[in-house]
Amino acid sequence: MRHYLKLTTNISMLVAMLGLGWGFTNNDPKPKVEDEKMNEFIDSLINEMTIEEKAGQLTLYTSGWDVTGPVLRDDYMDELRAGRAGNLFNAHTVDYAINLQKIAVEETRLGIPLLFGLDVIHGYKTTFPIPLAEAASWDLEVIEKTAHLYSKEAASAGINWTYNPMVDIARDPRWGRIAEGSGEDPYLGGLIGAAKVRGIQGMDLSDPTTILACVKHFAAYGASQAGRDYHTVDMSDRELRQNYLPPYKVALDAGATTVMTSFNEVDGVPASGNKYLMTEILRNEWGFDGFVVTDYTSINEMVPHGVVADLKEAAELAFNAGVQMDMQGGVYSQYIPELIAEGKIKEATLDEYVRQVLEMKYKLGLFEDPYRYLNKEREQETLYSKELMDHALLAAKESIVLLKNEPAKGQSEQLLPLKKSLNSVALIGPLADNQKDMLGTWHVAGDETKVVTLIDGIKQTAPNVKINYARGADFNGDDRSGFAEAIAAAKKSDVVIMAIGEDYTQSGEAASRSEIGLPGPQQALIEEIHALGKPVVAVVMAGRPLTIEWIDENIPAVMNAWHLGTMSGPAIAQTLFGDHNPAGKLTITFPKNVGQIPVYYNMKNTGRPFDANNKYTSKYLDVSNEPLYPFGYGKSYTSFDYSGIELSSTNMEMNGSITVSATIKNTGKYAGKEVVQFYIRDLVGSVTRPVKELKGFEKISLAPGESKKVSFTVTVKDLEFYTRDMSYKAEPGDFKVFIGPSSAEGLEADFTLK
């Protein structure tokens, strides 16, 4: 059979040479020829396969690591040689993966190449800002390029499949995996997901600098109850379809080739066995034709979920729900032959599932050249290249959000940016001289020794400023033995920079927190430093919104710097000292305290909306309804004035459109960027509607004194929703439009849909 594969490979190479191409995104007739070749080839291959070999193509096992590097378990190696393990993940570096590919291609009966997957979430070796941070850039071009570059770097190390993008809408910052997504808004989340798909997959999957994208976690994982990872999700079909499903659909429409199931249940059925999600919606409604992989052992976990009695039932439920590949659980490999023999699953369906996996291997060009991703020279040239490091710095700077900037006590000018003529600064906190934690969650193969710390970033940016450094506190416990050194450093400095927040383990998977204030004794430390009366800048680094109300009330300058990756230090330092003017805007609401959660900008009104003069309205006794910082919020070193909102018409027909515009002027003394945001409110619907919905944005650059007119077009698609009878359409009526710097402020006007 391997001889047949080699013959077919030669034909494929000839087709490519003749210009018939491997690309499947072009609109010319050429892909049809290639599709016919592919189908003929895969049909012949499937006809040669045993049931066990077919089950192997639907099996994904993980590689491990020991002190000498990557290693594959002996039993997995046996499965690989027997053709019962068609895919591996966490098997990276060319030296390691090439040997495994050689076993698959040269030692198995059919010689089918492996897929190599890895969680390249925000970087492979070169680490970019965590996804929640980069979303705050509101810059789709930057985000797409980031995805292209980390995919290129991963591809150079043998990876051809990443479990990214995560497009779960998340409105509970206690959930650790909020760090991996784009925040709370379906519209923005979908656009960012699509940008990442384009960056990861490019225009041609056979290009060895591109890899397969995997949209995850399908579906609604971000709505885990109580913000607890792996927990239950319970919502109406209306809420699911209106707010949680749209980003998956947009990312799939961008061409994503694979989908990952979520750990949670939806309507009482775990996602990995949920036919409503995997077949009725994903396949039948949306027309998805790639393959679905489970999350890690999630088929097995349907047993403790209590929806099946044992692993064999779990395999049957997942298979018949429409799940093609079993990650790590081994249940498909073990039970598919039995289930086929018993007639509980159909071999025709098995063949279709295998086809979907083999098609991806074919489109990656692995049957033409199984080693196309395994080039040692390319790996060495790509890792930590200047192109990657330069963009890592750019992306990090664009992700920073300035939350507050007021004069220090007794001063008249805003505290930031700091002057490079300062004699000294105190740099205090556990993130001041810290490499590993700057990488953030899911930094996979990121090398902490390559990280430029904040202290080194300041030395590079402001070399004449003396730095008085003290760690001061840690991320856990209540050890205050470092406070004295920190106080001494602050006393002898002109300005204090507090580098505070979470370590990399305190957000991400399996890192939910019931309290999301500063961990450890950091809050006590900053309070003691504040009491000295020195000007203080709080640089908060974390993988989620933190409850920092005290800091907002007492510290004059607050910068949210997330976890920014390899080039964290220069990005933060250049922003602190004015080489970069921050322009980031939050894509997740910051609560004042955990009692406000869930709090997000596009909530619905109530029958008793807040009224300060009426006790019996929707409010708390101990805190206001408003969050600490709203969605879309972020300040700049300059100022922007919004004026002159205009509508091309106050009436709109169902098949028509209107244009809404406003003028934005830079009224400050610095050149700066502004994310101009456009929101709509449907005042009356057949079901209740949100108080606002993001429908557009534009990031503009303005010099001091410069102004620009920004316009947004409204069509009926912007007004559609799931109505009372669950049809998706717009309803005639009155609407408000808003153009502003955040979801909480701006200009407004009205129009009517006829």
Side-chain angles (χ1 to χ4, degrees):
M1 183 61 189
R2 278 196 297 271
H3 177 73
Y4 172 74
L5 287 178
K6 291 177 181 176
L7 176 62
T8 308
T9 293
N10 291 335
I11 295 172
S12 300
M13 293 176 67
L14 178 61
V15 170
M17 292 173 62
L18 291 173
L20 296 178
W22 287 85
F24 60 97
T25 55
N26 298 327
N27 294 320
D28 59 32
K30 296 173 186 177
K32 292 182 180 179
V33 176
E34 183 58 33
D35 287 346
E36 290 175 6
K37 280 181 39 54
M38 177 179 69
N39 292 335
E40 180 183 351
F41 168 71
I42 292 174
D43 285 343
S44 298
L45 186 53
I46 290 174
N47 288 337
E48 292 283 339
M49 298 172 76
T50 66
I51 297 295
E52 289 75 15
E53 288 167 334
K54 292 174 183 178
Q57 289 302 306
L58 308 187
T59 297
L60 172 65
Y61 287 130
T62 183
S63 174
W65 286 77
D66 63 18
V67 292
T68 61
V71 61
L72 194 66
R73 281 170 33 178
D74 289 343
D75 56 337
Y76 291 170
M77 192 68 81
D78 293 340
E79 292 285 284
L80 173 59
R81 285 193 165 94
R84 295 195 298 265
N87 317 278
L88 295 172
F89 72 106
N90 292 344
H92 53 100
T93 73
V94 168
D95 288 339
Y96 179 55
I98 199 168
N99 292 323
L100 295 171
Q101 191 72 294
K102 186 173 291 188
I103 291 170
V105 173
E106 299 183 13
E107 297 184 30
T108 66
R109 189 177 75 90
L110 298 178
I112 300 173
L114 296 167
L115 280 180
F116 290 105
L118 188 68
D119 284 287
V120 187
I121 305 303
H122 58 109
Y124 173 61
K125 286 288 190 180
T126 308
T127 308
F128 297 84
I130 61 169
L132 186 61
E134 195 172 38
S137 72
W138 295 61
D139 194 320
L140 299 178
E141 290 185 7
V142 167
I143 291 168
E144 182 174 339
K145 185 174 181 180
T146 296
H148 166 67
L149 290 174
Y150 59 58
S151 299
K152 178 181 178 180
E153 189 178 42
S156 78
I159 299 303
N160 45 45
W161 183 23
T162 179
Y163 312 119
N164 187 14
M166 189 189 97
V167 295
D168 301 320
I169 296 303
R171 292 165 169 173
D172 191 332
R174 295 173 298 180
W175 189 51
R177 301 194 77 165
I178 200 168
E180 295 176 48
S182 300
E184 70 190 47
D185 183 68
Y187 172 80
L188 181 60
L191 292 178
I192 290 175
K196 290 184 178 182
V197 169
R198 292 192 300 269
I200 292 166
Q201 293 190 168
M203 292 298 293
D204 183 354
L205 285 177
S206 68
D207 178 347
T209 66
T210 66
I211 61 182
L212 300 178
C214 185
V215 175
K216 67 182 189 184
H217 306 84
F218 195 67
Y221 191 28
S224 295
Q225 288 182 353
R228 202 168 80 224
D229 218 353
Y230 316 117
H231 199 19
T232 297
V233 167
D234 189 13
M235 65 175 62
S236 67
D237 196 50
R238 184 185 308 282
E239 178 70 4
L240 177 70
R241 288 178 173 275
Q242 188 71 50
N243 291 311
Y244 286 87
L245 291 185
Y248 304 105
K249 178 65 162 59
V250 174
L252 291 173
D253 287 346
T257 46
T258 69
V259 169
M260 181 182 289
T261 67
S262 54
F263 287 116
N264 56 279
E265 65 176 66
V266 174
D267 196 25
V269 181
S272 292
N274 196 310
K275 189 171 184 177
Y276 177 62
L277 291 176
M278 302 304 156
T279 296
E280 293 181 29
I281 293 177
L282 187 61
R283 299 283 180 189
N284 297 344
E285 291 186 28
W286 294 358
F288 176 64
D289 62 356
F291 71 81
V292 175
V293 62
T294 71
D295 209 335
Y296 196 99
T297 68
S298 68
I299 296 180
N300 313 57
E301 292 163 24
M302 291 196 291
V303 177
H305 266 291
V307 76
V308 290
D310 53 38
L311 292 179
K312 184 176 177 181
E313 280 190 25
E316 179 184 349
L317 183 63
F319 187 96
N320 287 330
V323 172
Q324 282 71 49
M325 190 178 291
D326 170 17
M327 179 190 286
Q328 188 57 23
V331 293
Y332 273 9
S333 180
Q334 183 175 357
Y335 293 110
I336 279 178
E338 287 184 42
L339 293 168
I340 290 283
E342 295 170 5
K344 292 180 178 178
I345 64 176
K346 297 177 180 178
E347 187 169 0
T349 306
L350 175 61
D351 289 351
E352 183 58 30
Y353 287 5
V354 172
R355 171 183 299 281
Q356 288 157 352
V357 174
L358 295 179
E359 281 183 1
M360 290 303 109
K361 294 183 178 184
Y362 190 98
K363 289 175 178 177
L364 285 168
L366 295 178
F367 287 109
E368 177 188 4
D369 177 8
Y371 306 104
R372 69 188 312 129
Y373 286 87
L374 299 166
N375 183 307
K376 186 68 176 177
E377 182 179 350
R378 183 168 66 230
E379 180 182 36
Q380 292 174 337
E381 290 175 351
T382 306
L383 299 183
Y384 295 110
S385 69
K386 185 177 185 299
E387 179 186 31
L388 271 76
M389 295 289 272
D390 286 350
H391 188 73
L393 175 58
L394 171 67
K397 289 191 293 187
E398 293 297 321
S399 301
I400 292 171
V401 183
L402 181 63
L403 299 175
K404 183 181 178 183
N405 191 22
E406 295 180 355
K409 188 175 181 180
Q411 303 296 315
S412 58
E413 291 189 356
Q414 294 174 336
L415 181 53
L416 294 177
L418 299 175
K419 293 180 171 58
K420 294 182 182 179
S421 59
L422 285 170
N423 292 319
S424 61
V425 296
L427 182 59
I428 297 169
L431 286 154
D433 189 15
N434 182 323
Q435 291 182 299
K436 191 166 190 176
D437 292 313
M438 306 287 259
L439 291 173
T441 182
W442 277 118
H443 56 259
V444 199
D447 182 353
E448 65 188 86
T449 67
K450 299 286 189 179
V451 174
V452 184
T453 64
L454 179 53
I455 193 169
D456 287 336
I458 293 174
K459 288 175 181 177
Q460 295 171 10
T461 304
N464 296 323
V465 176
K466 181 182 180 183
I467 301 171
N468 299 310
Y469 163 71
R471 183 176 176 88
D474 209 337
F475 300 102
N476 297 288
D478 195 34
D479 181 2
R480 305 189 182 197
S481 59
F483 280 26
E485 182 185 12
I487 289 169
K491 284 181 176 179
K492 59 185 180 183
S493 303
D494 297 329
V495 174
V496 180
I497 300 170
M498 296 294 299
I500 51 180
E502 296 180 320
D503 69 26
Y504 84 93
T505 69
Q506 290 172 324
S507 62
E509 184 172 357
S512 297
R513 295 177 57 200
S514 66
E515 295 289 343
I516 53 173
L518 289 171
Q522 295 179 87
Q523 182 63 40
L525 175 62
I526 194 170
E527 288 183 19
E528 292 203 23
I529 297 297
H530 166 70
L532 300 175
K534 292 280 186 175
V536 177
V537 180
V539 179
V540 181
M541 291 174 247
R544 57 159 56 84
L546 298 182
T547 49
I548 53 173
E549 187 175 17
W550 184 92
I551 290 176
D552 179 71
E553 290 176 350
N554 293 277
I555 303 301
V558 185
M559 181 181 292
N560 202 77
W562 314 99
H563 289 142
L564 296 178
T566 305
M567 296 300 287
S568 292
I572 298 168
Q574 290 175 28
T575 306
L576 285 170
F577 285 91
D579 292 347
H580 171 71
N581 187 355
K585 302 272 190 175
L586 299 177
T587 63
I588 183 72
T589 300
F590 276 48
K592 291 179 177 176
N593 60 43
V594 293
Q596 287 185 316
I597 298 169
V599 56
Y600 49 94
Y601 88 91
N602 56 346
M603 301 182 90
K604 294 181 179 182
N605 218 346
T606 77
R608 294 190 179 188
F610 171 73
D611 181 348
N613 299 315
N614 185 346
K615 173 181 173 61
Y616 298 100
T617 57
S618 184
K619 62 179 180 291
Y620 300 100
L621 293 177
D622 56 344
V623 67
S624 69
N625 289 359
E626 291 74 27
L628 184 60
Y629 306 115
F631 176 88
Y633 173 84
K635 299 181 72 67
S636 168
Y637 292 153
T638 194
S639 55
F640 297 98
D641 176 71
Y642 285 68
S643 64
I645 189 168
E646 297 177 349
L647 281 72
S648 59
S649 174
T650 57
N651 292 296
M652 179 177 143
E653 301 296 329
M654 279 287 183
N655 60 352
S657 65
I658 62 170
T659 301
V660 185
S661 60
T663 298
I664 295 85
K665 182 177 182 180
N666 183 341
T667 56
K669 58 183 181 179
Y670 297 95
K673 297 177 183 177
E674 173 71 344
V675 179
V676 182
Q677 299 160 48
F678 178 60
Y679 298 87
I680 294 178
R681 179 175 184 179
D682 187 348
L683 295 178
V684 178
S686 59
V687 295
T688 56
R689 305 289 291 122
V691 294
K692 276 184 183 177
E693 292 179 288
L694 180 70
K695 294 296 181 180
F697 61 90
E698 185 176 342
K699 191 171 186 178
I700 61 173
S701 298
L702 295 175
E706 185 182 4
S707 61
K708 181 177 181 180
K709 188 174 184 178
V710 177
S711 299
F712 301 95
T713 299
V714 181
T715 70
V716 72
K717 288 190 175 298
D718 299 306
L719 312 178
E720 293 174 336
F721 66 101
Y722 286 94
T723 61
R724 190 175 301 174
D725 64 1
M726 287 301 291
S727 59
Y728 190 70
K729 62 185 180 183
E731 295 177 337
D734 295 331
F735 294 81
K736 282 190 176 293
V737 291
F738 309 84
I739 296 180
S742 78
S743 63
E745 57 181 316
L747 309 172
E748 64 179 79
D750 303 273
F751 75 92
T752 300
L753 178 65
K754 298 293 189 179

